[in-house]
Amino acid sequence: MTSLEKHNRMANAIRFLSMDAVQKANSGHPGLPMGAADVATVLFTKFMTFDPKNPSWPNRDRFVLSAGHGSMLQYSLLYLLGYEDMTLEDLKQFRQLGSKTAGHPEYGHASGIETTTGPLGQGIANAVGMAIAERKLADEFGEELMDHYTYALCGDGCLMEGISQEAIALAGHLKLNKLILMWDNNSITIDGAVSLADSTDQHARFRACNWHTIDIDGHNPEEIEAALKEAQKSDKPTMIACKTTIGYGAPTKAGTNKAHGSPLGDEEIAETRKALGWEYGPFEIPEDVLDAWRVAGLRSTKTRVEWEERLNGSSAKAEFTRRFAGDLPGGFATAMNDYKKKLAAEQPKLASRKSSQETLEVINGVVPETFGGSADLTGSNNTNTSQTAGITPDDFSGRYMHWGVREHAMAAAMNGIALHGGLIPYSGGFLIFSDYCRTSVRLAALMGIRVIHVWTHDSIGVGEDGPTHEPVEQMASLRAIPNLQMFRPADAMETAECWQLALESKDRPSGLALTRQGLPPLRTEYTEKNLCATGAYDLIPADSADVTIFASGSEVSVAVDAQKALTAKGITTRVVSVPCMELFFEQPEAYRKAIIGNSPIKVGVEAAVRMGWDEFIGSDGIFIGMSGFGASGKGPDLFKHFGITAEAVVEAVEAKRG
Amino acid sequence: MTSLEKHNRMANAIRFLSMDAVQKANSGHPGLPMGAADVATVLFTKFMTFDPKNPSWPNRDRFVLSAGHGSMLQYSLLYLLGYEDMTLEDLKQFRQLGSKTAGHPEYGHASGIETTTGPLGQGIANAVGMAIAERKLADEFGEELMDHYTYALCGDGCLMEGISQEAIALAGHLKLNKLILMWDNNSITIDGAVSLADSTDQHARFRACNWHTIDIDGHNPEEIEAALKEAQKSDKPTMIACKTTIGYGAPTKAGTNKAHGSPLGDEEIAETRKALGWEYGPFEIPEDVLDAWRVAGLRSTKTRVEWEERLNGSSAKAEFTRRFAGDLPGGFATAMNDYKKKLAAEQPKLASRKSSQETLEVINGVVPETFGGSADLTGSNNTNTSQTAGITPDDFSGRYMHWGVREHAMAAAMNGIALHGGLIPYSGGFLIFSDYCRTSVRLAALMGIRVIHVWTHDSIGVGEDGPTHEPVEQMASLRAIPNLQMFRPADAMETAECWQLALESKDRPSGLALTRQGLPPLRTEYTEKNLCATGAYDLIPADSADVTIFASGSEVSVAVDAQKALTAKGITTRVVSVPCMELFFEQPEAYRKAIIGNSPIKVGVEAAVRMGWDEFIGSDGIFIGMSGFGASGKGPDLFKHFGITAEAVVEAVEAKRG
């Protein structure tokens, strides 16, 4: 058998596993796996360094299937390469409830799936993040411990999504030369030919962004191999345009959108078997082919063993291992408690964005794996500290990324950094612009990874910039995302506690909503216990309170002022601070009931829409907040104008009492 | 005075109005207006066609300040050019509560502001939409009535945002040669030099997307004029890179990020006066300069009058006028009623995405201004009808846009189309991908414009594609946006009614959340009254009901099945269909109270998170829905798995009754 024949048989194994699994599920996308099978075969059998027996080996090459609808390509590869938790049976369960082989690759479902993809373009930016992490860790731990490539496979749709441009421009700027993007250039999208909607010269576009580009026949294994070799040597990130035929091998559907997202049908599949000379039944892989794949799967074992030896001989072993385990350093808790004592002593009046910076100064001093940044709002987000020198294209010794005005790629690349391991990324942005990166934030929540978003300018407190920059519905809409912890601390102490909770949450993302404007200290006594950990707690307790006021962030001080005024009027009033609704809803029922309490009048105060607050105040509770968009004006004027003041709380309570 | 001296004095008027207004407000962005003053002066005094006395003249050139933080540039221009509703007093009130001169340009605050900008990149895509509308209407009404340019001014940040790529690629593909984008190429962003975060060759990038590009000194009026002339003649959209100095004229801050977003300070302003030879006080414009601007402001009057004459002589006058007034054609209501009668007679069982298509078939037959499209999901969204031939780069006679995999630019361009007037745009996309275009959807709501988003695949009913494609929190997060009408119809009849409401809402955007899976008919009798208009209504009334079930969309049939089962058990049960929460909350209190009712047990059913439903069921109500992400599996399996069934409703009710 010639090497070409061998290659073709190996690639056809992917094709038939994919089309047969899609057919069995009667659902899925055969076109990409069939079209990209040659590219994937060369990549995984000759270039990718990994070990199916040690799938989380930190120095493995990373592979991201940005075109996640082609998931059967990835599942086929994992099975063929010998990943033990991907069996033929799993492939037969493609797209069935409870199977590992979900419609799109789901991180955590099986080894070797480096990220969850499906929403197009995300994977490119994830890969950029992984390549950033690799380069940063190589700088820190040396190439003996960190030296791998990151590969991504994308489709036309990925390249049309705006996030791709943000990611591509950033990668080119940073000269991420170990990032290699393979574009499955099949000229077909769901609606038909790409030319229906796009005329972009992708090579010119990538070159304009400082990439190296190569153009090949994506069905010619020699060209694929030569291109990958060339890419590995480039001093820039490389895009390899692989001209392929979607649904390659299917006699009537190949090259058309009919091969994209539907089963080919029994007849077409039978004809494809004939056309490609594949004499085996569904899910039947001949021994020679499976052997060849399994041998390829094990070819990096030696490389991995040698790496383990280097790690074992390294003075950095303990630190490297801790970092990849995701454990925080021993000094962290102590440093945070010391800082909280200092806050209790000094009682600073600070904007929470500033409190966040002071907290970060402590964190970055003891947690070397934090990796900061901002989408061009550093001076506003206060995400930089004395430890955070900037990353530059030629020097990755810093710990801070100037992401540019690219919220979406920032969030998606942070997902890639967290998935890579060894670093804890945190961002900087305006809360309003969480809208720009919502898909990536959701994917972090779905995957359960530790990324931390610092979102400042969290309400009409923004002031003069006006309604385009004033979050109103963002708290509700972010709280609606399952598994995302949204913190809105009320003062410097709560800010420290919320930061601590975010860092200690290994398997979920967090957002911190922080003020532009100054906040008085409310938590003035040191407690070792992190009071924010329950999500909501008695800030000002009162037995048999007539009124309970629930509030978050900057409005907790409004609640405290209202409490004083009401108390002065003989109305017993309690104040509950609600820094994190998600954590509160996860508390035992008894705690939740106790916090909600039995006051005849319940008030919620947040400079945002009411949605979500009824769980505290009931649908008949008083809500002091926003019911529409903000306005441009001085911050204090806006709070008065929209009636979010202690006086408004008192008035509403008195009106209700009659 | 030489023409250059005259130009400089006119441009300096912009500079000083801007820096003085920012200083007076002690807030704002002087850098862009000072840097772009020369470009704007040439554009508005020699190229832009408009009439300050008739600011909404349909055939005016459009100008979009995509870099919205430079709002004082626009306000200065409006004042100088003689727009009557922009006075010196308004400029002095810059950024004060209640003023027209908000921090960022707000559509509707003053004439001449064509769109609300601020979130970067949006304006470029708005302008693309306006240019699409111009070309489409020129095709329909002829160049006698529609023949204008669309200009946009953007900054470096706009070009970094991913939405810019989507918009640029689309505009180049469509050969929108009357679109001219001026890039204020000042090499500065908030964090510092653009080179901190970007190395893109923008000329090469635009050319890769089929644009013409020109490079000029943005302070040289002759070069600006020559470039604009060249751009007007191009057969492609043109990007003019205007090399400028941010904060031009400020002795120590020009060319740095210190000029970007803060007042310059009294001292620097005094020095700028000296440097630019400006002898006038704050807000003082010498007569010769104001005269020159006012003359320029009136130079297109004749052009407008001639256009009015052509309109008056045109057989299309009535239709053209109706279209720009935003009124629906006379036959619309009748056609919808006829269609509803047909539905009542035929009682089809259809997925609501399919019902939507059948409704659109009726709408597109009688409403010629609808302009459809899809982000590459036409066959899934069912947004095409027999009337919707596709737009191609060389033929705009169609009514359907293949937007490509570009949800964000689609939504923002639709905003531009709606703002332009003459067309009613509707989109097609998956509900999950509303996350990709959320900023643009929000801006439509803030501006109060009629764009309609068709969002299909609206729950775990999506099935096998899995959690990346299954909306869970999207209904809540979209309902949280003020002024956005989110419809989730329960059957074919409700789909027709919701479409009618969306079209009849001249001054707000709508979203339709539609199923992938089939839905039984529930509204089987014809009513002339649009029952969905109140947002929630008694679908199955019952006096003194023990249980009231509130549900939307596909879960209304779950509620109806549960109602039958409960009734059979002797438990009186009422069903309220909730197609649109926003409309319901706008009803008079008496109606709302009657609909909420007094049942001891209230149940909400929606295959989504609970957030928002407490206003119907109270915080102690039963909610049958999702509490986390979905999964990959057959749709019916998922509904069972997640317990969103009639049986689950019955069980929960019985458990609560004890």
Side-chain angles (χ1 to χ4, degrees), chain A residues 23-160:
Chain A
Q23 187 65 32
K24 184 167 192 304
N26 196 27
S27 171
H29 300 74
L32 184 135
M34 295 172 72
D38 294 309
V39 168
T41 300
V42 174
L43 176 64
F44 276 84
T45 63
K46 301 200 167 174
F47 290 87
M48 279 282 292
T49 299
F50 59 95
D51 181 353
K53 311 291 177 203
N54 292 273
S56 57
W57 169 32
N59 198 37
R60 70 192 181 279
D61 285 345
R62 303 301 196 272
F63 173 75
V64 175
L65 182 64
S66 187
H69 51 275
S71 56
M72 269 311 304
L73 175 73
Q74 188 151 26
Y75 303 145
S76 301
L77 285 166
L78 294 175
Y79 164 67
L80 291 168
L81 289 163
Y83 282 78
E84 287 169 6
D85 60 351
M86 185 62 71
T87 65
L88 260 189
E89 194 48 44
D90 291 318
L91 301 190
K92 291 177 187 169
Q93 292 301 312
F94 180 52
R95 290 187 157 232
Q96 303 311 302
L97 182 57
S99 78
K100 291 169 187 165
T101 48
H104 294 81
E106 301 282 341
Y107 175 70
H109 277 217
S111 308
I113 299 174
E114 303 282 5
T115 179
T116 295
T117 51
L120 294 179
Q122 297 289 329
I124 298 175
N126 293 163
V128 169
M130 291 174 188
I132 288 170
E134 190 271 342
R135 184 123 164 240
K136 168 70 196 151
L137 293 168
D139 182 275
E140 190 171 352
F141 291 100
E143 294 190 354
E144 317 83 66
L145 295 186
M146 188 54 52
D147 178 17
H148 69 77
Y149 288 93
T150 301
Y151 299 93
L153 179 67
C154 76
D156 295 289
C158 293
L159 295 187
M160 282 197 246

Side-chain angles (χ1 to χ4, degrees), chain B residues 137-366:
Chain B
L137 294 167
D139 181 275
E140 192 172 351
F141 291 99
E143 294 188 356
E144 317 83 64
L145 295 186
M146 188 53 53
D147 178 18
H148 69 77
Y149 288 93
T150 301
Y151 299 92
L153 179 67
C154 76
D156 295 290
C158 293
L159 296 187
M160 280 197 247
E161 289 287 359
I163 188 176
S164 68
Q165 181 63 22
E166 298 183 17
I168 291 164
L170 183 67
H173 171 70
L174 293 172
K175 301 180 188 165
L176 298 175
N177 61 307
K178 288 159 86 178
L179 172 66
I180 298 171
L181 176 63
M182 322 205 47
W183 167 32
D184 182 40
N185 176 18
N186 64 27
S187 307
I188 292 293
T189 65
I190 292 175
D191 273 9
V194 168
S195 60
L196 271 177
D198 192 54
S199 315
T200 305
D201 177 344
Q202 297 291 0
H203 286 275
R205 174 187 169 201
F206 274 81
R207 285 196 303 268
C209 299
N210 205 30
W211 283 58
H212 178 54
T213 76
I214 307 173
D215 204 29
I216 61 166
D217 172 357
H219 298 302
N220 181 325
E222 287 178 11
E223 286 192 31
I224 300 167
E225 185 171 350
L228 283 165
K229 279 187 183 156
E230 181 181 328
Q232 288 190 336
K233 287 179 202 143
S234 172
D235 59 354
K236 301 174 177 178
T238 299
M239 186 276 277
I240 305 175
C242 310
K243 188 71 217 162
T244 64
T245 301
I246 191 171
Y248 180 92
T252 75
K253 296 186 175 176
T256 76
N257 60 350
K258 287 179 189 149
H260 169 80
S262 312
L264 295 178
D266 289 328
E267 193 179 334
E268 182 87 357
I269 285 178
E271 292 300 318
T272 308
R273 281 192 152 70
K274 281 186 208 160
L276 295 178
W278 192 256
E279 299 159 356
Y280 317 99
F283 302 102
E284 182 189 341
I285 304 297
E287 207 176 311
D288 65 311
V289 173
L290 191 60
D291 282 353
W293 272 106
R294 293 287 158 93
V295 167
L298 295 174
R299 50 183 235 293
S300 307
T301 306
K302 183 157 167 281
T303 308
R304 187 194 56 75
V305 169
E306 287 166 357
W307 180 89
E308 298 276 1
E309 286 164 4
R310 287 199 300 279
L311 178 67
N312 287 329
S314 166
S315 61
K317 182 182 179 185
E319 176 68 3
F320 187 94
T321 306
R322 177 187 74 74
R323 296 272 289 270
F324 271 86
D327 298 328
L328 292 169
F332 174 65
T334 308
M336 291 304 290
N337 282 336
D338 289 349
Y339 176 59
K340 282 171 65 178
K341 283 174 196 160
K342 178 167 170 271
L343 287 178
E346 296 180 359
Q347 304 193 12
K349 175 179 161 63
L350 293 172
S352 50
R353 61 175 169 147
K354 186 70 191 160
S355 301
S356 168
Q357 188 174 43
E358 302 209 344
T359 308
L360 273 170
E361 186 70 31
V362 175
I363 291 168
N364 290 342
V366 293

